[in-house]
Amino acid sequence: MAWNLIGPLSSSYTKRLDLSPGRQSLLVATPVLVGSLGRIPVGVLTDKFGGRWMFTAICFISIIPVLLVGWSNSFAALLTPRLVDHLGRTQTHVLMAVALAVMGAIMWLFARNAPQWQPATEVRQSV
């Protein structure tokens, strides 16, 4: 949900920032593109460091852009406008950042890597 805060709020961002339809589309597409492309290095790093470490790191690293977006889709579309109406735009982004911090802490404290997992030590080449 943290990355999908932009979609439900895109019309208010469009009005506020006077965005063209193309720029509004780019605004909405950016989290999807970042998530799609980000899976590649995150997958490689997960092979090397394990799921526990990477999931925790991604939760905490994601706090920064979530807060920055607040200051400048289905579940998010349902909940985000209500949260913004009730809490305000900035507080909604802060709430999502806090949720990411809590999830990162829970993951780090309670999750374990798969017993058979071992760090990747060599580069595999495809045939």
Side-chain angles (χ1 to χ4, degrees), residues 32-51:
V32 176
L33 293 172
V34 169
S36 298
L37 296 175
R39 281 175 170 67
I40 297 167
V42 169
V44 171
L45 292 171
T46 299
D47 283 347
K48 184 172 178 94
F49 297 110

Side-chain angles (χ1 to χ4, degrees), residues 43-51 53 113-124:
V44 171
L45 292 171
T46 299
D47 283 347
K48 184 172 178 94
F49 297 110
W53 192 91
N113 289 320
Q116 68 277 11
W117 175 81
Q118 293 180 8
T121 56
E122 62 185 55
V123 177
R124 297 182 189 138

Side-chain angles (χ1 to χ4, degrees), residues 123-127:
V123 177
R124 297 182 189 138
Q125 297 178 357
S126 59
V127 179

Side-chain angles (χ1 to χ4, degrees), residues 2-6 13 30-31 34 57-72 93-94 96-97 100:
W3 282 115
N4 289 320
L5 288 170
I6 295 172
Y13 283 126
T30 297
V34 169
I58 293 299
C59 281
F60 286 111
I61 291 168
S62 296
I63 290 171
I64 295 166
V66 165
L67 289 175
L68 291 177
V69 166
W71 289 311
S72 69
H93 286 272
V94 169
M96 287 303 109
L100 284 168

Side-chain angles (χ1 to χ4, degrees), residues 15-31:
K15 291 174 191 165
R16 202 168 167 197
L17 301 172
D18 194 29
L19 299 176
S20 67
R23 288 186 177 189
Q24 181 182 12
S25 297
L26 182 61
L27 176 73
V28 173
T30 297

